[in-house]
Amino acid sequence: MTRFFWLILWIAAPVGLAHGQLAVSSPAFASEARRVPGQSPEGLRIRRTPAPITLDGRLEEQAWAEADAAVDFTQQFPVDTVLADARTEARFTFDDRFLYVGVVCWQARADYTAPSLKRDFPTATSDVVNVLISPSRDGLNGFLFGVSPLNVQREALVDNGTTLSLEWDNRWNSAVTQHDDHWVVEMAIPFKTLRYSRAEGANTWAINIVRTRLKNWEVSTWHPVPRQYAPNNLAFCRPLHWQTPPPPPGLNAAIIPYATARWEANFRRQTPDLSVSERIRRSVYGLGADAKIGITPSLNLDLTFNPDFSQVEVDRQVVNLSRFELFFPERRQFFLENRDLFAMFGFPSTRPFFSRRIGLARNPITGFNENIPILAGARLSGKLTDDWRIGLLNMQTARVNWDSARTLPAANFTVATVQRKMFSRSALSAILVNKENFLGPLNETQRAGIQPWNRVAGLEYNLYSADNRWEGEWYYHRSFSPDPRRRGQTAAQFLGYFDRHFNTRLGYILVDSFYTADAGFVPRKGYQSFFPGGGLIFYPKKGKINNWLVRLNGEFTYSLFWQETDREVNLNVEATSQDQAEAGIYLTNTYTFLFENFDPTNLYRPGTQPLPGQRGYTYNSGGAYFSSSNTYDLQGWVAVQFGQFFNGYSQSVSGEISYRWQPYGTFAVSYNYNRIRLPAPYASAEVWIVGPRAELAFSRNLFASAFFQWNTQANNFNINARLQWRFAPVSDLFVVYTDNSFAQPVADTRARFLTPKNRALVLKVVYWLNA
């Protein structure tokens, strides 16, 4: 392991030096941006408005006439070498409280595409003008504020250069006026919503404006962005020069109290025939609050007391045909701001901290993930200077007694991180994660298998070149525990090159058998893996195809003693049309060595046997997929896969069909069917997940959604329905109904289709109070 760690350092050193040269001598997009007349690489100057701005979407004040204009937008899709077909002009001004943005978008009124009146709509689903703001100018972190032609807002945090967190909510205002051939948006963004430094020399921010039109599928940007990258990439921005320093944001403090009333019923079925052994009905009432306090303009303190996340949408169920735990994303807003400081350490399969370990746990009686009471928590995150960022999180959960013998102890979670900016867009970071279990009140039976504490410490280097071509990550993490069998380490390296016509990558990861991250996500231990890959991109000069992509990727996994345990090699050919429809085919070669007996259906039904362990299985498969363009109201995607599966065969079909009822909402049905045939006496099965969904917006303040999931693998039928009334800015009333029942009968029992398992009805009121 020591030799491996020095090898990582040996690889990292020349890359870091090369990156330093890139950061100094290679301006972003220097070789790929066509010089467009009227474009100024020096950016825009922003002046204080001499008179108050009336937010009406008209831009009639003198400040707008005197402001510098961002013009001559260039296409980012379908090509990136010409001016945009639809003209866009943007201007900026400010006063003591707000940053104002005015944008004129030329477009015929009949060509608007806006699927819903609900805010925070997903990317590439609506006409929109997005304003990207990065006060830190680090090319990695910033904010996005977007408005559709119907004045529907979206806001997001941007981390790692392109990743959007649309779950982030804050208070800001906008107004839109519509005309026959253009529409005008006027935004007022409070300075206290933004995080920025007022240190000497911090009078320049990085900005870009990104506009999307679905009808003719054009994406255009003020600063050119190569089409092989996401248009919201913060590596491609122009400077916004403040003639005077940005004003102090003032007191940035808000208290967000809430009240809930919850009625729930649980039907415990612990008898062999699954009859109800115990009915538990209860009504629960709760009070709690969050607080947001700006310690400095770029450092924020978030506090929470008795938080409640009942309004968060349930997880989308998926079929699990693997031997390992599946990853589900975090949706709770408290854990999302500055999440790269906490949740992005390690690789996706080796996260030392996974926020869903807090307040969520599997009930060993019902088999469902359930909410665990969080008593209180605090998070301090943000910038100390332009070069230093810190993160500190502490959360306390309550004890839960599943039954007399099984208990989840109260626990305290602490995460501390520090990050130092390196070169232009890279960073060196350190993390410490600590989980303390309070075992004092537990008896010996309840304590069995639970360690009093677990800690992980780690160091990472993340590389992003100034022109976005090079991306890399190197890390070393070590776990600590009272049990020597839980003291281990993991280390990894990744380096990728992403150019216009060619990309390649090579990664390596090692996780030893003792590495343990109780507050993290590590579904597999005791292995090492190489994952090389590459692709070629071809851009036809004419025709309906925008680009062809040919990819060859592999993952080769070995035990710590170099025994091959897994292999997957995938060859993929994909075409993207001018309206962003996609179609592709692929071939896959897979090898799996089973150390233990395993049923690939994960059903373990009586009368069948699992596949024997201590054997290797080689199998080949292929597939095809198609995704339609978002230009049309009726849209969807479908994917099929067929071929060998372990010592048998499998076929699968998955996809979604949706209809856009503009501007009121969307109706959709998702489906996933898997047919597995293994020779007797091994298990065969047909597994279904069907998920009808409806999302409706009756106005900009009243929304309803309903989501059904029929899952035969988990034998569960789930209903999640939600009504939301936004009665004031960032203040809501929610009514949420959740129901779980059997998806199909169970032989020789009383369980039938829709036989209930549990159900709940929640009323929640949240109000945002500015201090």
Side-chain angles (χ1 to χ4, degrees):
M1 184 64 216
T2 303
R3 285 179 294 178
F4 168 71
F5 184 59
W6 284 111
L7 176 62
I8 288 182
L9 293 179
W10 176 78
I11 294 173
V15 171
L17 292 174
H19 176 63
Q21 295 170 356
L22 278 171
V24 173
S25 62
S26 297
F29 201 21
S31 64
E32 301 195 49
R34 184 177 68 85
R35 180 67 68 189
V36 178
Q39 295 286 25
S40 170
E42 288 75 27
L44 291 181
R45 294 170 298 171
I46 181 171
R47 305 179 181 86
R48 178 185 291 272
T49 175
I53 296 290
T54 301
L55 199 70
D56 54 12
R58 299 186 182 277
L59 308 185
E60 295 175 338
E61 289 83 2
Q62 185 64 26
W64 294 121
E66 296 175 351
D68 289 357
V71 296
D72 293 334
F73 280 50
T74 58
Q75 282 190 359
Q76 195 265 347
F77 186 91
V79 298
D80 57 7
T81 55
V82 299
L83 289 174
D85 289 339
R87 282 197 301 139
T88 307
E89 292 184 6
R91 292 172 170 82
F92 292 76
T93 187
F94 72 99
D95 59 20
D96 287 336
R97 296 180 58 198
F98 296 99
L99 170 66
Y100 295 99
V101 185
V103 187
V104 182
C105 303
W106 271 263
Q107 182 180 8
R109 193 196 302 260
D111 290 341
Y112 294 167
T113 300
S116 173
L117 299 175
K118 187 177 181 180
R119 66 186 294 123
D120 293 334
F121 47 89
T123 299
T125 61
S126 172
D127 291 348
V128 65
V129 58
N130 292 312
V131 179
L132 290 164
I133 304 173
S134 178
S136 62
R137 298 166 293 138
D138 59 6
L140 296 174
N141 300 281
F143 307 87
L144 178 146
F145 298 90
V147 179
S148 80
L150 302 186
N151 196 28
V152 181
Q153 298 177 347
R154 69 196 297 249
E155 69 273 343
L157 293 174
V158 186
D159 58 63
N160 287 328
T162 59
T163 305
L164 299 182
S165 298
L166 289 167
E167 296 85 355
W168 179 66
D169 268 340
N170 238 300
R171 299 181 66 167
W172 59 288
N173 302 299
S174 64
V176 169
T177 57
Q178 300 174 359
H179 307 269
D180 290 340
D181 62 347
H182 69 281
W183 55 282
V184 183
V185 58
E186 194 171 18
M187 307 180 194
I189 304 169
F191 281 108
K192 62 184 178 182
T193 296
L194 305 172
R195 311 278 185 264
Y196 59 92
S197 170
R198 299 191 71 249
E200 184 177 355
N203 289 357
T204 301
W205 293 3
I207 61 169
N208 204 6
I209 301 100
V210 181
R211 184 179 170 198
T212 300
R213 293 188 305 132
L214 294 191
K215 184 72 73 174
N216 299 303
W217 251 121
E218 179 183 70
V219 179
S220 57
T221 60
W222 178 46
H223 186 290
V225 179
R227 59 177 168 174
Q228 70 266 28
Y229 304 128
N232 58 287
N233 195 313
L234 291 178
F236 306 100
C237 289
R238 284 200 169 106
L240 179 70
H241 300 290
W242 298 80
Q243 288 193 322
T244 58
L251 176 62
N252 181 13
I255 299 175
I256 312 165
Y258 82 85
T260 62
R262 180 185 182 92
W263 175 85
E264 61 184 29
N266 290 284
F267 303 87
R268 290 192 174 180
R269 301 177 183 275
Q270 297 174 279
T271 58
D273 66 350
L274 295 181
S275 60
V276 176
S277 59
E278 184 180 10
R279 288 183 175 88
I280 302 175
R281 292 187 174 93
R282 63 174 183 166
S283 299
V284 181
Y285 304 94
L287 295 172
D290 294 342
K292 294 179 173 291
I293 304 169
I295 305 299
T296 71
S298 56
L299 187 66
N300 206 57
L301 174 65
D302 292 272
L303 305 173
T304 186
F305 168 72
N306 192 29
D308 174 87
F309 304 108
S310 56
Q311 80 278 11
V312 176
E313 187 180 84
V314 297
D315 292 322
R316 305 293 174 90
Q317 298 181 29
V318 296
V319 174
N320 186 4
L321 303 179
S322 75
R323 296 160 288 163
F324 309 111
E325 178 187 8
L326 297 179
F327 178 88
F328 291 92
E330 178 62 85
R331 299 176 184 271
R332 298 170 295 178
Q333 186 179 351
F334 182 84
F335 296 101
L336 294 176
E337 186 167 357
N338 286 320
R339 66 176 180 174
D340 65 303
L341 277 172
F342 302 98
M344 303 305 290
F345 281 79
F347 281 12
S349 60
T350 54
R351 301 296 189 200
F353 174 67
F354 182 39
S355 58
R356 286 175 62 103
R357 301 296 185 211
I358 304 175
L360 290 170
R362 184 179 181 273
N363 185 326
I365 298 173
T366 66
F368 291 105
N369 282 333
E370 295 187 5
N371 292 322
I372 305 302
I374 299 176
L375 303 179
R379 183 189 63 214
L380 178 70
S381 61
K383 283 181 170 284
L384 297 177
T385 68
D386 283 345
D387 293 330
W388 288 95
R389 300 173 71 209
I390 62 166
L392 181 63
L393 181 143
N394 185 270
M395 306 288 289
Q396 178 68 44
T397 60
R399 170 182 169 180
V400 175
N401 295 316
W402 305 120
D403 57 24
S404 59
R406 289 172 288 189
T407 296
L408 184 70
N412 183 268
F413 299 80
T414 301
V415 185
T417 68
V418 61
Q419 184 182 93
R420 175 66 163 85
K421 179 181 176 182
M422 308 288 288
F423 309 112
S424 62
R425 298 181 65 222
S426 302
L428 181 66
S429 309
I431 185 171
L432 175 65
V433 182
N434 180 62
K435 180 185 179 185
E436 296 274 349
N437 292 311
F438 295 89
L439 305 181
L442 307 187
N443 58 42
E444 291 300 319
T445 301
Q446 294 170 331
R447 292 185 186 186
I450 303 176
Q451 293 294 305
W453 54 266
N454 172 258
R455 295 174 189 132
V456 176
L459 189 67
E460 297 201 4
Y461 176 66
N462 292 90
L463 178 149
Y464 296 93
S465 67
D467 60 4
N468 212 64
R469 286 187 174 92
W470 290 95
E471 180 180 333
E473 180 178 353
W474 291 258
Y475 79 74
Y476 177 77
H477 299 166
R478 189 167 186 87
S479 65
F480 305 88
S481 175
D483 185 352
R485 294 169 298 178
R486 291 172 174 255
R487 303 172 191 167
Q489 56 197 344
T490 175
Q493 75 86 23
F494 171 84
L495 183 63
Y497 178 78
F498 305 91
D499 205 351
R500 188 180 191 83
H501 298 283
F502 170 73
N503 60 74
T504 185
R505 64 197 66 83
L506 176 63
Y508 173 83
I509 184 172
L510 182 147
V511 184
D512 77 17
S513 301
F514 294 158
Y515 178 71
T516 304
D518 286 347
F521 181 80
V522 186
R524 185 176 186 180
K525 297 190 290 186
Y527 74 96
Q528 53 186 328
S529 182
F530 297 88
F531 39 99
L536 297 173
I537 308 174
F538 305 94
Y539 300 95
K541 293 185 178 180
K542 58 182 179 179
K544 295 183 178 181
I545 301 300
N546 181 273
N547 65 78
W548 290 92
L549 172 62
V550 181
R551 286 181 293 208
L552 180 63
N553 294 315
E555 184 168 0
F556 304 90
T557 303
Y558 302 87
S559 72
L560 299 179
F561 304 100
W562 295 101
Q563 175 191 354
E564 185 179 24
T565 63
D566 297 89
R567 178 184 69 247
E568 182 171 297
V569 180
N570 180 275
L571 175 64
N572 176 218
V573 179
E574 180 179 288
T576 301
S577 69
Q578 301 291 5
D579 62 0
Q580 289 208 349
E582 294 181 352
I585 58 174
Y586 61 90
L587 297 172
T588 303
N589 171 263
T590 305
Y591 171 80
T592 303
F593 183 87
L594 296 180
F595 289 92
E596 299 175 347
N597 295 348
F598 173 63
D599 179 357
T601 70
N602 275 320
L603 295 173
Y604 293 92
R605 289 172 173 165
T608 63
Q609 296 181 14
L611 295 176
Q614 296 302 313
R615 279 190 56 187
Y617 300 83
T618 300
Y619 43 102
N620 301 299
S621 62
Y625 55 91
F626 171 76
S627 176
S628 69
S629 170
N630 289 345
T631 301
Y632 310 105
D633 291 334
L634 183 64
Q635 54 192 262
W637 64 272
V638 62
V640 297
Q641 181 176 340
F642 50 87
Q644 299 169 326
F645 187 62
F646 288 92
N647 61 346
Y649 297 89
S650 73
Q651 300 87 38
S652 70
V653 181
S654 59
E656 182 177 274
I657 300 173
S658 63
Y659 178 74
R660 180 173 61 211
W661 184 27
Q662 183 173 307
Y664 302 107
T666 302
F667 300 92
V669 178
S670 61
Y671 53 90
N672 188 317
Y673 168 70
N674 288 265
R675 183 177 185 269
I676 300 170
R677 290 293 181 265
L678 304 182
Y682 308 118
S684 295
E686 295 185 8
V687 179
W688 281 91
I689 294 182
V690 180
R693 185 180 79 254
E695 297 182 1
L696 296 173
F698 303 105
S699 70
R700 291 184 178 84
N701 300 313
L702 184 61
F703 318 105
S705 65
F707 189 27
F708 304 83
Q709 298 183 93
W710 181 61
N711 185 339
T712 62
Q713 186 182 47
N715 197 359
N716 190 68
F717 180 71
N718 171 260
I719 302 173
N720 182 249
R722 182 175 66 172
L723 180 69
Q724 177 185 359
W725 173 38
R726 176 147 288 188
F727 59 87
V730 205
S731 302
D732 301 280
L733 182 146
F734 296 96
V735 180
V736 182
Y737 176 72
T738 303
D739 187 298
N740 289 287
S741 57
F742 283 88
Q744 56 187 358
V746 179
D748 301 322
T749 72
R750 296 188 179 185
R752 299 291 183 266
F753 175 54
L754 296 184
T755 297
K757 298 179 181 179
N758 57 68
R759 56 176 64 111
L761 179 67
V762 178
L763 175 68
K764 180 175 180 179
V765 181
V766 182
Y767 190 70
W768 183 297
L769 294 169
N770 276 331

